[in-house]
Amino acid sequence: MTSHPAQEMHDHGTRLHGEYKVPGGKLVVVDLDVHDGLLANVSVSGDFFLEPDEALLDINMALTGLAVTSSAADIAAAVGAGLTDGAVLFGFSAEAVAVTVRRALSKATGWADHQWDIIPPSVLPTPVNVALDEVLTEEVGAGLRNPTLRFWDWEEPSVVIGSFQSVRNEVDPEGVARHGITVVRRISGGGAMFMEAGNCITYSLYVPQTLVDGISFADSYAFLDAWVMAALEKLGISAFYVPLNDIATDQGKIGGAAQKRLANGGMLHHVTMSYDIDADKMVDVLRIGKEKLSDKGTRSAKKRVDPLRRQTGMARAAIIGAMQEVFTERYGAVESALTEAELTEARKRVDAKFGTEEWLNRVP
């Protein structure tokens, strides 16, 4: 019978160790052994706050005896059940403990567990950019490419709608014709993006889903963009997430994120931020409904978007450069490039899928 990797490590006398920094919270650390496929000698620690003191022992006891095959949800449930009424966890949660345990067991990964690549901006047709998101996500899921950060670039004015959006409800055909807009549908959900050359900063992260194992769908957005917040802070911009997927400052929304998880274990996290958007043209092309505006607390779509150019006074290339620099420093990333095979495959998918009326109008 094949032994579990965690069991093998224990048999060689090595304690298993996992760490997880809660986004906006504290560090959680777990050290444990594995005996006969069960967690043993569990010790949770960290710079979090916990009341009463005895609750730490309750957490350790709740984890002891759990199977190494327990899901993140099962582990979190066990921790929650083991706490007494009135116990207060500040800066962490039962779910954070579960992520840390899964990392110790090598079932979840952290940023430092991967070799990261960065693909700098290169001008490509918008349909090819969209197709590459599918191609590269599949490759990372299959282990054929390192986890990768790719910055987009393009020339033609475009609208990229979310996977589940209605073309009819999102795009004004007269505005599209008048401004020569290319309309394409991406694989991730979320809202429509109005993109002219140089008016946005768009990037895609292709990661294994192990990186967000045990992290809720909502929390994964902020987790995957923590480096961006640090880069913006370095540029003098204090940005924050507005649930579920908007990135904003006190002066307004600057961007939005979208995700797609594939069956092979790959995951796409996609972000577009407004750099120097033409708000008049945007509202001429997009149908931005009153219901959406009311939810955002504003009457005008123009007021929703506050471009980075005005907030920073910096060139778009300089902002992208600062983002690449922070990502490289944090995660030891190295510069990479798209291969000819990847570009060829993306172009094939444009012909077969992303450039077709059937795909564009799959939600009419």
Side-chain angles (χ1 to χ4, degrees):
M1 184 176 71
T2 302
S3 60
H4 187 277
Q7 180 68 56
E8 292 175 1
M9 292 179 70
H10 172 75
D11 289 346
H12 285 84
T14 303
R15 287 259 298 163
L16 303 182
H17 179 86
E19 298 184 4
Y20 173 55
K21 172 67 169 61
V22 179
K26 297 299 184 177
L27 179 69
V28 183
V29 180
V30 172
D31 294 283
L32 57 86
D33 295 325
V34 174
H35 292 162
D36 298 324
L38 304 177
L39 307 189
N41 303 319
V42 182
S43 175
V44 174
S45 59
D47 60 356
F48 48 75
F49 300 92
L50 179 62
E51 295 290 347
D53 277 7
E54 296 75 25
L56 186 60
L57 296 177
D58 293 337
I59 292 173
N60 290 339
M61 288 300 297
L63 295 170
T64 299
L66 291 180
V68 295
T69 55
S70 299
S71 68
D74 290 339
I75 297 170
V79 170
L83 292 169
T84 59
D85 290 342
V88 177
L89 286 64
F90 188 70
F92 78 124
S93 63
E95 289 74 20
V97 174
V99 172
T100 315
V101 170
R102 297 271 295 179
R103 286 188 175 183
L105 295 171
S106 300
K107 293 180 179 294
T109 57
W111 293 91
D113 295 319
H114 303 284
Q115 173 59 59
W116 292 90
D117 290 348
I118 294 182
I119 300 176
S122 58
V123 175
L124 294 165
T126 304
V128 173
N129 273 312
V130 171
L132 279 168
D133 272 359
E134 184 173 75
V135 171
L136 299 186
T137 305
E138 287 180 2
E139 286 189 340
V140 170
L144 301 175
R145 166 179 270 282
N146 288 334
T148 299
L149 167 66
R150 179 176 75 93
F151 286 91
W152 291 32
D153 221 337
W154 62 96
E155 288 181 341
E156 72 275 31
S158 306
V159 167
V160 181
I161 64 173
S163 180
F164 309 108
Q165 287 189 298
S166 159
V167 178
R168 183 188 304 117
N169 292 338
E170 298 298 328
V171 180
D172 185 309
E174 293 182 1
V176 165
R178 185 161 49 248
H179 298 294
I181 305 294
T182 297
V183 182
V184 295
R185 184 186 295 276
R186 62 181 185 269
I187 63 171
S188 56
M193 306 165 354
F194 172 66
M195 303 166 56
E196 290 186 287
N199 82 346
C200 297
I201 295 173
T202 297
Y203 65 83
S204 295
L205 264 174
Y206 313 104
V207 306
Q209 291 174 35
T210 54
L211 187 65
V212 295
D213 181 276
I215 302 173
S216 73
F217 188 85
D219 290 344
S220 69
Y221 281 87
F223 173 75
L224 291 173
D225 280 334
W227 64 277
V228 179
M229 301 305 179
L232 292 173
E233 188 74 34
K234 196 172 181 180
L235 299 175
I237 298 175
S238 182
F240 50 88
Y241 252 90
V242 179
L244 171 68
N245 62 330
D246 283 353
I247 300 171
T249 70
D250 289 337
Q251 300 176 59
K253 176 181 174 178
I254 57 174
Q259 294 182 354
K260 176 67 176 179
R261 304 182 188 213
L262 302 186
N264 77 343
M267 176 177 174
L268 164 66
H269 179 83
H270 173 95
V271 172
T272 292
M273 290 185 283
S274 300
Y275 172 70
D276 191 20
I277 199 163
D278 184 334
D280 289 319
K281 192 180 292 186
M282 179 183 73
V283 297
D284 203 29
V285 171
L286 297 181
R287 299 186 192 274
I288 303 175
K290 293 180 181 178
E291 182 71 16
K292 186 166 187 175
L293 293 177
S294 68
D295 180 57
K296 303 297 182 182
T298 183
R299 292 181 143 194
S300 169
K302 299 177 187 178
K303 293 179 182 176
R304 288 190 61 220
V305 180
D306 195 78
L308 286 170
R309 181 177 183 178
R310 189 184 70 76
Q311 292 198 32
T312 66
M314 294 177 64
R316 176 175 175 267
I319 295 175
I320 292 174
M323 290 179 174
Q324 290 182 231
E325 185 178 304
V326 168
F327 192 88
T328 298
E329 289 174 351
R330 279 195 165 208
Y331 308 129
V334 298
E335 187 169 318
S336 180
L338 294 165
T339 67
E340 282 304 316
E342 289 166 341
L343 286 167
T344 297
E345 180 60 27
R347 293 184 182 111
K348 286 181 181 176
R349 296 195 189 191
V350 170
D351 293 338
K353 178 177 179 179
F354 294 101
T356 66
E357 288 296 315
E358 289 80 8
W359 171 253
L360 178 62
N361 292 289
R362 79 181 192 111
V363 183

